[in-house]
Amino acid sequence: MPATSLPGPSGSVPQAVPDVPGARVDEQRSESLKAHVAKLCQLQHTRFPGAQPVSFTKASLDLLLTEDFWVCEKSDGQRVLVLIAWNKFAHRQEVFLIDRKNIYREQSRALFFPHFEKPRGKPEDRIVQDIGSRWKALHETVLDGELVWDTLKDGRRKLRLLLFDALVIDGQNMASRTLEKRYGRLQAYVYKPFVDFMRENPQRARDMDFEIFVKTMDLGYGIQAVLKDRIPRLEHGNDGLIFTCITSGYTCGTDSKIIKWKPPYENTIDFKLRLRFPPDLAVDPRGNVPDLSAKPFFALDQFVGRERGSTSDGYEYFDWLHVEDDEWEQMKASGQQFDDVVVEVSWDLKGGPLSADGEPTPGWRLHRVRDDKHDGNHHTIVQKIITSIEDGVEEDELVGAEQEMRRAWKSEERTRIRKAGLVQSRTEAPSRPEAPAGRRMGPGPPMRGVPPPGLKR
């Protein structure tokens, strides 16, 4: 089941982060597929190879002025990679969705990606016999995208896969190509043949578990159009904006040239939530037995990494989550596990407990449970997100930079780089001086120290 309900677009019913469809691949086959993907992506590891964005800060504005970016809405969905492979023993194409936990799920046979070239009529050309010799199968392909629930005007929900990048197409590694070229290949070599095939095979299209589209990209200085035009017309939930440098290659892992923006105090962090209960002194006066009927302390632990051979689980205490009494009752009634799970939380200036004089205080608030993640954010990422909260960019400031971004985009030097299709070196965002005192909208996180003594798990 999806973890939690999330706000949908204006006027729609609440959305949910979709589960990844398909049959989970067994461990032995999964390891083989991971090794295959690592080879295709030219990696020395078998971890999830998808690129990960960084949070937006004041310095990110400078980067948008010095390099060319595309901007799109950041969907509130489930990140997946798509592996398109050819099973030479069964003589058929196989398609897998890979989630952030690096779990592979095989998709329905109705889903088929044809090759962009016409078949030459030889068996080794991967012609799929059950759909005729017109169609040759695409293979050795890894795509990047996200699953979303779209709510239609009549209230029906549609599961859709939005593709936005390509790591490998037909065995050709695309990581060294610019985003502009990767996106163009995705459109011409993958999506157009797919649409043509489904148009000629409508029954297959109806039998698919989800629809497929390519996500719309706008020029980096089209911020206002995305915020005021595209996002209000979305049929799925939105979580801000994503800026991606169009002259950069694809980075497997954290990419400083992919920047996620949202209003500073809507930034979220993933922690491991651990419930710590007070002792039940009536049962054990020594305090060794937890009182599981009491409201617990909601500890937020940050991931610091695991050392080989260590007995530590790689987490340390960071702060605590504020949960109202009625919210705790709802959590218990839901039947969902909340202890020892990854949760996404946000810093709310009025989200903490009331002060002695009845005024709200700041605090961390639960956004959703992250069933799609093994671990919370690494402590280095936590600090970067906190910086983006304290040193973030408001919407009016972002929109106000549009004209300067437009002038920079149209400069002769930037035009030359785009036309040449050059991949620019991976420079970090220019540094800015510290924000002036008093700019923050309230105290920044974290706000409290160690948890109260005597609590039990």
Side-chain angles (χ1 to χ4, degrees):
M1 293 292 292
T4 55
S5 293
L6 297 172
S10 177
S12 74
V13 298
Q15 306 287 312
V17 175
D19 291 328
V20 180
R24 182 168 177 170
V25 175
D26 64 62
E27 186 174 352
Q28 182 177 358
R29 192 179 182 205
S30 176
E31 291 304 313
S32 175
L33 289 171
K34 289 175 185 177
H36 182 59
V37 168
K39 183 178 179 180
L40 289 175
C41 297
Q42 299 174 9
L43 299 174
Q44 300 301 312
H45 63 78
T46 58
R47 299 188 298 273
F48 180 76
Q52 305 294 341
V54 298
S55 295
F56 206 102
T57 64
K58 291 282 189 181
S60 303
L61 275 179
D62 294 328
L63 191 57
L64 295 183
L65 292 172
T66 56
E67 297 190 33
D68 292 335
F69 282 75
W70 280 346
V71 62
C72 66
E73 62 92 10
K74 184 178 184 294
S75 302
D76 219 345
Q78 174 86 263
R79 171 77 177 283
V80 291
L81 297 182
V82 183
L83 169 63
I84 304 169
W86 179 255
N87 187 325
K88 62 182 179 181
F89 301 106
H91 198 71
R92 65 168 183 254
Q93 184 188 83
E94 294 176 333
V95 181
F96 304 87
L97 293 186
I98 312 166
D99 66 19
R100 269 186 287 211
K101 290 183 177 179
N102 218 16
I103 294 172
Y104 286 62
R105 288 181 171 84
E106 187 170 1
Q107 299 306 297
S108 161
R109 296 283 161 74
L111 178 58
F112 177 77
F113 288 91
H115 199 272
F116 47 87
E117 294 177 345
K118 292 182 179 179
R120 294 187 294 274
K122 299 177 183 178
E124 60 267 27
D125 285 336
R126 305 183 306 280
I127 297 171
V128 183
Q129 301 300 330
D130 64 339
I131 56 176
S133 60
R134 169 172 164 72
W135 301 104
K136 175 182 173 182
L138 185 65
H139 79 322
E140 307 285 59
T141 296
V142 183
L143 310 174
D144 205 343
E146 55 199 344
L147 287 166
V148 298
W149 278 118
D150 273 2
T151 302
L152 309 184
K153 291 181 179 179
D154 60 7
R156 290 182 300 121
R157 293 202 309 171
K158 286 274 191 179
L159 184 61
R160 286 169 173 161
L161 172 63
L162 308 180
L163 299 172
F164 51 76
D165 210 336
L167 291 73
V168 185
I169 294 180
D170 202 43
Q172 184 175 18
N173 189 290
M174 305 294 293
S176 62
R177 307 291 184 93
T178 65
L179 172 62
E180 199 167 24
K181 290 188 175 181
R182 299 195 309 271
Y183 188 79
R185 287 284 182 95
L186 171 64
Q187 291 269 21
Y189 284 32
V190 179
Y191 189 62
K192 185 181 183 303
F194 168 80
V195 171
D196 291 343
F197 173 80
M198 288 301 171
R199 188 178 292 119
E200 292 191 19
N201 295 271
Q203 186 58 51
R204 276 183 174 255
R206 287 191 290 269
D207 291 342
M208 285 172 50
D209 292 326
F210 48 83
E211 297 177 344
I212 300 178
F213 297 91
V214 172
K215 198 166 189 177
T216 301
M217 301 286 173
D218 286 274
L219 300 182
Y221 55 82
I223 299 165
Q224 194 160 207
V226 178
L227 289 172
K228 305 301 183 185
D229 182 33
R230 294 200 186 280
I231 289 178
R233 292 189 288 112
L234 290 175
E235 295 176 316
H236 53 262
N238 168 260
D239 194 31
L241 303 176
I242 287 283
F243 293 88
T244 308
C245 182
I246 68 170
T247 54
S248 289
Y250 190 97
T251 296
C252 296
T254 302
D255 187 349
S256 61
K257 299 294 185 71
I258 305 177
I259 314 169
K260 57 182 179 181
W261 174 89
K262 61 176 72 175
Y265 280 90
E266 290 182 18
N267 277 287
T268 57
I269 303 179
D270 297 333
F271 292 109
K272 182 69 71 74
L273 176 63
R274 281 165 173 163
L275 310 188
R276 302 182 184 181
F277 293 86
D280 191 338
L281 299 178
V283 174
D284 181 4
R286 295 172 299 178
N288 294 322
V289 177
D291 182 0
L292 299 180
S293 64
K295 182 181 176 182
F297 177 85
F298 300 88
L300 297 174
D301 290 1
Q302 65 177 340
F303 184 57
V304 295
R306 302 181 183 91
E307 295 183 7
R308 187 182 298 274
S310 171
T311 57
S312 168
D313 67 353
Y315 283 86
E316 66 179 19
Y317 175 76
F318 179 79
D319 208 343
W320 57 275
L321 178 74
H322 178 65
V323 177
E324 298 285 353
D325 291 345
D326 60 334
E327 293 171 334
W328 171 235
E329 294 302 320
Q330 293 172 16
M331 291 167 72
K332 289 191 293 183
S334 72
Q336 184 175 356
Q337 179 179 337
F338 287 95
D339 183 38
D340 208 34
V341 298
V342 176
V343 294
E344 183 178 347
V345 302
S346 59
W347 179 255
D348 188 336
L349 294 175
K350 297 183 179 180
L354 296 179
S355 64
D357 56 3
E359 294 297 320
T361 62
W364 294 105
R365 300 289 283 163
L366 179 65
H367 183 58
R368 59 170 164 163
V369 174
R370 295 302 303 263
D371 289 330
D372 59 324
K373 298 188 73 173
H374 278 302
D375 288 307
N377 292 130
H378 192 267
H379 70 96
T380 56
I381 302 299
V382 170
Q383 291 306 313
K384 289 179 180 178
I385 298 175
I386 287 177
T387 298
S388 72
I389 295 174
E390 298 178 334
D391 188 37
V393 175
E394 299 290 346
E395 180 178 326
D396 57 352
E397 187 176 3
L398 185 65
V399 172
E402 273 191 339
Q403 290 306 312
E404 190 177 355
M405 290 168 58
R406 186 175 186 274
R407 286 192 294 270
W409 177 287
K410 294 180 177 294
S411 68
E412 291 185 8
E413 174 66 14
R414 298 265 283 274
T415 301
R416 182 190 66 80
I417 292 173
R418 286 195 302 273
K419 286 184 176 180
L422 301 176
V423 175
Q424 291 185 289
S425 59
R426 310 202 63 78
T427 55
E428 296 295 328
S431 60
R432 274 181 176 258
E434 275 192 32
R439 191 190 66 77
R440 295 178 185 171
M441 298 170 57
M447 72 294 193
R448 291 156 291 207
V450 297
L455 299 178
K456 304 293 180 183
R457 287 191 63 201

